[in-house]
Amino acid sequence: MLSVRDLTAGYGAVTALDGVSFDAAEGEITAVLGANGAGKSTLLRTISGLVRPSRGSVTLAGLDLGTVPVEGMAAVGLAHVPEGRGVITELTVEENLRLGALGRGGRVGAADLERAYSLFPILAQRYRASAHVLSGGERQMLVIARALLARPRVLLLDEPSLGLAPRIVVQIFELVQTLVRADGLTVVLVEQNARSALSIANRGVVLNLGRVVVSDEAAALAGNERLRHAYLGF
Amino acid sequence: MQQLFTTLLTGLTLGMVYAAFALALVLIWRATRIVNFAQAPMAMLTTYVALVLIEAGYSYWLGFAAALLSGLVLGALVERFVIRYVDPRSEINPVILTLGLFIVLHALAALVFGARYRSFPAPFGLRGFQVGDTTIALTGFGIFTILSVLAVVVLLVLLFRYTDVGLKMRASAFNQEVARLLGVRVGRMLTLGWALAAVVGSLSGLLIAGGGLVHPSFMDGVVVYGFVAAVLGGLDSPVGAVAGGLILGLSLSLVSGYVGSQLVSLAALAILMAVLLVRPGGLFARVRERRV
Ligand SMILES: Nc1ncnc2c1ncn2[C@@H]1O[C@H](COP(=O)(O)OP(=O)(O)O)[C@@H](O)[C@H]1O
Ligand SMILES: [Mg+2]
């Protein structure tokens, strides 16, 4: 579904991504793992066009994303939930959600909101509240719900577990798994929390200093003790 | 008692004009983190557009509409072709740019319209209403001033609160990156924001000019009071801008009526400093962001 080839990008003189290639198969969760500074966020930012690559390409179901502006990504079916969540705290919960549906050019239908609220009941209770009163876990749910309202084919999630209590992380990962099973959504899940990520992922890609160290089945990665110690920290 | 009443009414009318100008500054500040000093000459130019039409024999209202419309166009052009090219990471470049624009627009107006004073008509009476044998300080034009600014505030609130484009504009103002990722054409929203701000600025120009004199610097004093009003309201809040404008108008009118009109600018400065010392976020600063 999403195909990344020889992707190279950086910030000025810093090369943050160096010839990265991998595929995210339709209806699967692909975990992108690696230490802080490995280039995971840069990878997602380059896929969604926030950073322009100096080399390489990204295609979504055959469409070259290099020609799509950032503003056009939602319309071609790519949703990116950035690191640090990206809730617009000055807006209410419902306004954040409406914004998700506007991106694909549509209006938010009652059915869309209903589905979001049934997946995330906590949001239903607080839909009129200003988003800045939400807890970290609630904010993560809000941005995932908002991304889903654009009806994406591919969802890029950047460290959804960051700063959340383990109990909440489990809840959110279970939810992502449910979505993939129910909708056939394709997910690229960036995580430092490699153990949890591999427990729900089908495949994993390990990055170090902007390069792919290894990419394999999630179970194989989790079973490779040397790799775990060297790059995954568990 | 009579004098207090008069002073308050004058202050209210004046405050509404400051409020409109402050609102124009706040709309732009919120969206682009730029204090648009060029707002004053922009409003001056569009007021001249109205004046030229009115002097050519068209009705006041046609001139009025043309001024607002040319504000819309001018604001959009300034954003699209000038502001768009400043580095958003720089703090000082945009300020220098709007000051440069200030000077350029002044020169342009002097060149095209001449530097002399020209009188500008008012659509309604400029004399206070007669109640019994006392005259109230509220004029027909004063009522028009208050109502037109109120109408603009209500329209803006409706736009921002209840329409999709208003939601997209707010999202673009608060978080450009997230807005873009959600498919909002942020550039267009910023252009629209500048255009609307310039319309509101143009309205304040028309209200100041009404029944008075127009020349290339006639709005320059207003930019100072408008800025103070915007800071009173916290620079980020349209409602704050309106409240700030009213507070400033009333306070300055009281100073002028009871202390001395020569102290008005000094009083504005004193109010600004007091607010910055006691509540640097403005009188209506929101509660602190919850940290998570
Ligand atoms: N905006 C930026 N400007 C300059 N360097 C950056 C920027 N963002 C990230 N980097 C650098 O790029 C490298 C990869 O960073 P990042 O993609 O954020 O890694 P990760 O998400 O895996 O922690 C790091 O060396 C980081 O310092
Ligand atoms: Mg990161």
Side-chain angles (χ1 to χ4, degrees):
Chain A
M1 173 58 77
L2 188 77
S3 202
V4 173
R5 286 291 166 273
D6 192 27
L7 206 60
T8 303
Y11 306 93
V14 184
T15 302
L17 276 188
D18 192 358
V20 170
S21 301
F22 75 95
D23 287 291
E26 181 165 9
E28 286 192 0
I29 299 176
T30 305
V32 175
L33 311 170
N36 202 358
K40 306 179 299 294
S41 295
T42 305
L43 174 62
L44 295 194
R45 294 171 65 79
T46 312
I47 292 173
S48 63
L50 290 168
V51 173
R52 284 294 166 187
S54 54
R55 206 175 65 222
S57 66
V58 182
T59 53
L60 192 160
L63 173 73
D64 180 3
L65 293 186
T67 61
V68 180
V70 179
E71 294 88 339
M73 292 295 175
V76 300
L78 183 83
H80 178 181
V81 175
E83 193 173 349
R85 310 195 226 287
V87 164
I88 301 184
T89 51
E90 292 88 348
L91 303 179
T92 67
V93 169
E94 182 144 300
E95 283 169 341
N96 269 282
L97 291 173
R98 273 173 57 205
L99 206 54
L102 286 178
R104 58 156 206 264
R107 293 193 68 103
V108 60
D112 283 321
L113 276 182
E114 202 120 305
R115 169 142 196 275
Y117 289 142
S118 74
L119 283 169
F120 305 89
I122 190 79
L123 299 180
Q125 292 164 26
R126 326 191 63 167
Y127 74 101
R128 294 183 79 162
S130 164
H132 87 272
V133 305
L134 298 183
S135 69
E138 289 162 352
R139 288 183 188 203
Q140 190 60 53
M141 292 181 198
L142 175 58
V143 285
I144 293 176
R146 186 178 68 188
L148 292 174
L149 281 169
R151 301 213 190 104
R153 289 190 284 176
V154 175
L155 176 63
L156 312 177
L157 287 177
D158 198 344
E159 303 220 28
S161 76
L162 197 72
L164 300 184
R167 186 175 52 83
I168 310 286
V169 174
V170 169
Q171 208 181 334
I172 284 175
F173 278 20
E174 276 174 359
L175 223 137
V176 171
Q177 210 166 16
T178 313
L179 289 170
V180 169
R181 294 212 177 110
D183 300 3
L185 189 67
T186 304
V187 174
V188 178
L189 172 65
V190 158
E191 266 299 339
Q192 275 196 65
N193 185 345
R195 186 204 294 266
S196 306
L198 286 175
S199 73
I200 61 163
N202 302 88
R203 291 185 66 83
V205 178
V206 180
L207 288 187
N208 187 44
L209 300 176
R211 293 168 190 261
V212 176
V213 178
V214 57
S215 69
D216 205 342
E217 301 283 325
L221 293 178
N224 183 336
E225 198 161 333
R226 203 182 51 77
L227 186 80
R228 271 175 23 201
H229 288 301
Y231 297 109
L232 305 180
F234 74 99
Chain B
M1 188 62 220
Q2 162 88 34
Q3 191 196 346
L4 179 65
F5 193 57
T6 302
T7 308
L8 290 179
L9 279 177
T10 313
L12 180 66
T13 316
L14 203 59
M16 284 313 251
V17 179
Y18 296 156
F21 199 85
L23 198 55
L25 292 176
V26 163
L27 289 177
I28 285 176
W29 171 261
R30 228 165 55 130
T32 47
R33 300 282 131 183
I34 293 174
V35 175
N36 182 21
F37 292 107
Q39 195 80 71
M42 284 166 73
M44 170 271 294
L45 275 183
T46 57
T47 307
Y48 267 112
V49 169
L51 184 61
V52 167
L53 287 171
I54 295 167
E55 285 186 347
Y58 294 99
S59 77
Y60 176 90
W61 297 111
L62 188 99
F64 187 88
L68 296 187
L69 190 69
S70 53
L72 191 78
V73 174
L74 183 61
L77 290 177
V78 165
E79 193 283 328
R80 187 65 192 78
F81 295 106
V82 183
I83 301 300
R84 188 71 67 89
Y85 298 100
V86 267
D87 184 347
R89 286 166 302 186
S90 159
E91 301 250 322
I92 190 76
N93 289 5
V95 178
I96 294 173
L97 196 66
T98 61
L99 285 174
L101 207 56
F102 186 100
I103 295 166
V104 169
L105 294 179
H106 259 276
L108 187 72
L111 211 66
V112 177
F113 303 111
R116 71 198 163 81
Y117 287 77
R118 289 156 80 168
S119 66
F120 195 95
F124 298 106
L126 294 166
R127 306 180 57 165
F129 292 105
Q130 203 73 28
V131 176
D133 47 354
T134 54
T135 314
I136 311 180
L138 198 59
T139 65
F141 190 65
I143 293 175
F144 172 66
T145 299
I146 294 169
L147 290 182
S148 60
V149 176
L150 271 182
V152 163
V153 172
V154 168
L155 285 177
L156 284 176
V157 167
L158 292 177
L159 174 78
F160 284 127
R161 281 272 154 80
Y162 298 107
T163 70
D164 290 345
V165 69
L167 179 59
K168 290 189 207 175
M169 287 177 74
R170 280 191 295 154
S172 306
F174 295 133
N175 195 329
Q176 294 203 6
E177 185 169 297
V178 167
R180 292 177 76 202
L181 285 174
L182 293 172
V184 176
R185 290 169 188 272
V186 169
R188 280 191 198 175
M189 294 306 132
L190 297 184
T191 308
L192 185 58
W194 273 72
L196 288 180
V199 170
V200 180
S202 297
L203 175 67
S204 72
L206 291 164
L207 295 175
I208 299 256
L213 297 170
V214 170
H215 59 103
S217 0
F218 90 98
M219 285 298 286
D220 294 358
V222 185
V223 79
V224 177
Y225 296 127
F227 180 67
V228 174
V231 172
L232 282 183
L235 263 179
D236 250 330
S237 147
V239 176
V242 174
L246 287 177
I247 292 172
L248 189 69
L250 289 170
S251 324
L252 295 187
S253 182
L254 287 170
V255 168
S256 164
Y258 289 96
V259 189
S261 58
Q262 68 280 15
L263 289 178
V264 164
S265 329
L266 207 59
L269 188 67
I271 292 173
L272 179 64
M273 300 217 342
V275 170
L276 289 180
L277 282 175
V278 182
R279 299 202 54 142
L283 295 175
F284 307 92
R286 274 162 53 117
V287 284
R288 269 280 181 72
E289 163 81 351
R290 172 170 172 180
R291 310 277 303 183
V292 290

CSV table of all heavy atoms in Angstrom, one decimal, chain A residues 11 16 35-42 83, ligand 1:
chain,number,residue,atom,x,y,z
A,11,TYR,N,18.1,18.1,7.4
A,11,TYR,CA,17.9,19.5,7.8
A,11,TYR,C,19.2,20.3,7.6
A,11,TYR,O,20.1,20.1,8.3
A,11,TYR,CB,17.5,19.6,9.2
A,11,TYR,CG,16.3,18.7,9.6
A,11,TYR,CD1,16.5,17.4,10.1
A,11,TYR,CD2,15.0,19.2,9.4
A,11,TYR,CE1,15.4,16.6,10.4
A,11,TYR,CE2,13.9,18.4,9.7
A,11,TYR,CZ,14.1,17.1,10.2
A,11,TYR,OH,13.0,16.3,10.5
A,16,ALA,N,19.2,13.3,8.1
A,16,ALA,CA,18.5,12.5,9.1
A,16,ALA,C,17.9,11.2,8.6
A,16,ALA,O,17.7,10.3,9.4
A,16,ALA,CB,17.3,13.4,9.6
A,35,ALA,N,16.1,4.2,18.4
A,35,ALA,CA,16.4,5.1,19.5
A,35,ALA,C,16.0,6.5,19.2
A,35,ALA,O,15.7,6.8,18.0
A,35,ALA,CB,17.9,5.0,19.9
A,36,ASN,N,16.0,7.4,20.2
A,36,ASN,CA,15.8,8.8,20.0
A,36,ASN,C,16.8,9.3,19.0
A,36,ASN,O,18.0,9.1,19.1
A,36,ASN,CB,16.0,9.5,21.4
A,36,ASN,CG,15.3,10.8,21.4
A,36,ASN,OD1,14.7,11.2,20.4
A,36,ASN,ND2,15.3,11.4,22.6
A,37,GLY,N,16.3,10.1,18.0
A,37,GLY,CA,17.2,10.7,17.0
A,37,GLY,C,17.6,9.7,15.9
A,37,GLY,O,18.4,10.1,15.0
A,38,ALA,N,16.9,8.6,15.8
A,38,ALA,CA,17.2,7.6,14.7
A,38,ALA,C,16.7,8.1,13.4
A,38,ALA,O,17.1,7.6,12.3
A,38,ALA,CB,16.6,6.3,15.1
A,39,GLY,N,15.7,9.0,13.4
A,39,GLY,CA,15.2,9.5,12.2
A,39,GLY,C,13.7,9.1,11.9
A,39,GLY,O,13.2,9.3,10.9
A,40,LYS,N,13.1,8.5,13.0
A,40,LYS,CA,11.7,8.0,12.8
A,40,LYS,C,10.7,9.1,12.5
A,40,LYS,O,9.9,9.0,11.5
A,40,LYS,CB,11.2,7.3,14.1
A,40,LYS,CG,12.2,6.2,14.6
A,40,LYS,CD,11.7,5.6,15.9
A,40,LYS,CE,11.6,6.5,17.1
A,40,LYS,NZ,12.9,7.1,17.5
A,41,SER,N,10.8,10.2,13.2
A,41,SER,CA,9.8,11.3,12.9
A,41,SER,C,10.1,11.9,11.6
A,41,SER,O,9.2,12.3,10.8
A,41,SER,CB,10.0,12.4,14.0
A,41,SER,OG,9.5,11.9,15.2
A,42,THR,N,11.4,12.1,11.3
A,42,THR,CA,11.8,12.6,10.0
A,42,THR,C,11.2,11.7,8.8
A,42,THR,O,10.7,12.3,7.8
A,42,THR,CB,13.3,12.8,9.8
A,42,THR,OG1,13.8,13.5,10.9
A,42,THR,CG2,13.7,13.4,8.5
A,83,GLU,N,4.2,13.8,16.2
A,83,GLU,CA,4.7,13.6,17.5
A,83,GLU,C,4.2,14.7,18.4
A,83,GLU,O,4.0,15.8,17.9
A,83,GLU,CB,6.2,13.6,17.4
A,83,GLU,CG,6.9,13.1,18.7
A,83,GLU,CD,8.4,13.0,18.5
A,83,GLU,OE1,8.9,13.1,17.4
A,83,GLU,OE2,9.1,12.8,19.5
C,1,LIG,N1,14.0,20.6,12.8
C,1,LIG,C1,15.2,20.0,12.8
C,1,LIG,N2,16.3,20.7,12.5
C,1,LIG,C2,17.5,20.1,12.6
C,1,LIG,N3,17.8,18.8,12.9
C,1,LIG,C3,16.7,18.1,13.2
C,1,LIG,C4,15.4,18.6,13.2
C,1,LIG,N4,14.5,17.6,13.5
C,1,LIG,C5,15.3,16.5,13.7
C,1,LIG,N5,16.6,16.8,13.5
C,1,LIG,C6,17.7,15.8,13.6
C,1,LIG,O1,17.5,14.8,12.8
C,1,LIG,C7,17.8,13.5,13.4
C,1,LIG,C8,16.6,12.6,13.4
C,1,LIG,O2,15.6,13.2,14.2
C,1,LIG,P1,14.1,12.6,14.4
C,1,LIG,O3,13.6,12.3,13.0
C,1,LIG,O4,13.3,13.5,15.2
C,1,LIG,O5,14.4,11.3,15.2
C,1,LIG,P2,13.4,10.4,16.1
C,1,LIG,O6,12.0,10.7,15.7
C,1,LIG,O7,13.8,9.0,15.7
C,1,LIG,O8,13.7,10.6,17.5
C,1,LIG,C9,18.3,13.9,14.8
C,1,LIG,O9,19.7,13.9,14.7
C,1,LIG,C10,17.8,15.2,15.0
C,1,LIG,O10,18.6,16.0,15.9
